[in-house]
Amino acid sequence: MGVALSKQWERLLGAGQGSQVVAWHVRAAESEWVSRVWTWVQAQAGLPAPAIAVDGTEGWLLCFALPSPRSVDEALLVLRQLIREGLHQ
């Protein structure tokens, strides 16, 4: 894993704080969605800035740090709610 990516994971997860990362894949053409959700998550949801990976062909990948571990189903529900609320602001 590259140094920059390692630093992003460390930033998202903290030093042994028990966070969980969930990811959202967005098609390349929907950059406005990425911007709105990325900004809203920090300003309104109080979460750290999501890490962003960009691929010109495949699109965007946003990785969100949830404050505590959750079941997969619960983490997906939280992710969907973050996206829904971020897009409707």
Side-chain angles (χ1 to χ4, degrees), residues 24 26-27 40 42-43 45 49 52 62 78:
W24 177 41
V26 185
R27 292 182 300 180
W40 183 87
Q42 296 169 78
I52 299 176
L62 269 66
V78 170

Side-chain angles (χ1 to χ4, degrees), residues 26-79:
V26 185
R27 292 182 300 180
E30 296 166 342
S31 62
E32 176 63 26
W33 290 10
V34 171
S35 176
R36 288 170 52 189
V37 171
W38 189 84
T39 302
W40 183 87
V41 163
Q42 296 169 78
Q44 302 299 319
L47 294 175
I52 299 176
V54 182
D55 178 327
T57 305
E58 296 296 321
W60 306 78
L61 183 67
L62 269 66
C63 298
F64 302 87
L66 303 181
S68 60
R70 303 160 190 262
S71 70
V72 172
D73 290 339
E74 186 180 6
L76 289 174
L77 287 174
V78 170
L79 178 62

